[in-house]
Amino acid sequence: MSQNIYFHVGLSKTGSTFLQHQVFPKLQGIYYLPTVKYRHALKLLPKIHDERVLVSREFDQQFEQEVKKFSAQYPQAYPIIVLREHSSWAVSNYKRFVKNGHSISFKEFIDIERDKGLFKKRDFDYERYIDLLEQYFAQKPLILFYEDLQKEPVKFVRKIMDYTGAELNYSDVNWNPRHVSYDIDSLKLVRKLSNKIQFQKKLEVHTKPRGFLYNLYANIVRYSILYASKLFPKTWFPTEEFINPAEIEELRQYFSPQWDSLRNKTH
């Protein structure tokens, strides 16, 4: 029996949590291998005998490495990618980094002028991501947009159903937003305190006992600050801007031609 494998590659911060919790597990006519099992996906897939299988994981800087690894075994897989307007995607990812204990500024996160940031301009080059999918997979990728998910979620999900051949009982889905950002004051406080207290999340060590215990400690500290911050007096919060609006606008303008081109091509 021939098997069709669908590979949702993200990107991160593009509604993946909603899809992975509310949509993918409830699709009918397709076997869903969730993100928590992705690490062992290449070993698990040969043991799955369903006609259609959906694998989900979201990437950003690991994109090329993971696409090459997955496609080496399944070059006939059908890739699914969700894109988000560049400046919005940058702000959302920066908030995630601050929440995880990184004390860097937005300029240190992405620096358009000198390209010295933690994220490089190539990490925001969506055409590069699409080229990689087209290069390493034989099937044409499904390209979706986060903004469409926000505006018309049912229509957005319908495109995934049409691509995969799956069905869905819409009443089974909670269409309310699942992931809400933390308020800016809380994030500013985390950023300030992370300069003085080490509680940075470390993904690379979380499977080891010491790494697990460290991340448990880091999570307790980070979330204690985030949730308790509403009880703190205003004088505790830093007064500086969280992100300079001019830096966001610079990023938006830099990538605007690519964004407009992608939107026009796929609509």
Side-chain angles (χ1 to χ4, degrees), residues 222-238:
R222 289 186 297 111
Y223 286 107
S224 295
I225 297 170
L226 287 165
Y227 289 121
S229 62
K230 295 178 182 177
L231 305 175
F232 297 159
K234 286 293 183 182
T235 54
W236 282 37
F237 294 99

Side-chain angles (χ1 to χ4, degrees), residues 9-16 58-60 82 84 89 93 96:
V9 297
L11 299 174
S12 62
K13 311 305 291 182
T14 59
S16 296
E58 64 277 10
F59 308 117
D60 37 59
V82 185
R84 180 173 180 172
W89 191 59
N93 272 291
R96 172 169 63 97

Side-chain angles (χ1 to χ4, degrees), residues 7 9 11 59-72 74-81 83 122-143 262:
F7 186 26
V9 297
L11 299 174
F59 308 117
D60 37 59
Q61 289 180 308
Q62 313 88 12
F63 189 96
E64 183 171 356
Q65 172 187 338
E66 295 297 332
V67 163
K68 288 180 178 178
K69 182 172 71 174
F70 195 91
S71 64
Y74 293 101
Q76 294 294 329
Y78 294 77
I80 302 170
I81 186 169
L83 305 175
R122 72 190 304 269
D123 296 320
F124 285 81
D125 185 354
Y126 295 161
E127 290 181 346
R128 182 176 73 89
Y129 293 142
I130 295 170
D131 288 344
L132 285 168
L133 295 179
E134 292 178 343
Q135 176 183 351
Y136 287 99
F137 293 106
Q139 308 298 337
K140 183 179 180 180
L142 175 63
I143 304 169
L262 287 170

Side-chain angles (χ1 to χ4, degrees), residues 206-242:
H206 79 286
T207 57
K208 301 177 183 179
R210 289 182 63 184
F212 173 81
L213 292 174
Y214 169 81
N215 274 341
L216 178 62
Y217 147 78
N219 284 337
I220 292 172
V221 174
R222 289 186 297 111
Y223 286 107
S224 295
I225 297 170
L226 287 165
Y227 289 121
S229 62
K230 295 178 182 177
L231 305 175
F232 297 159
K234 286 293 183 182
T235 54
W236 282 37
F237 294 99
T239 56
E240 77 274 4
E241 287 182 318
F242 184 64

Side-chain angles (χ1 to χ4, degrees), residues 26-42:
K26 298 168 185 177
L27 290 174
Q28 302 164 11
I30 191 168
Y31 184 98
Y32 172 49
L33 191 68
T35 183
V36 294
K37 294 184 179 181
Y38 176 76
R39 184 178 299 140
H40 307 292
L42 295 179

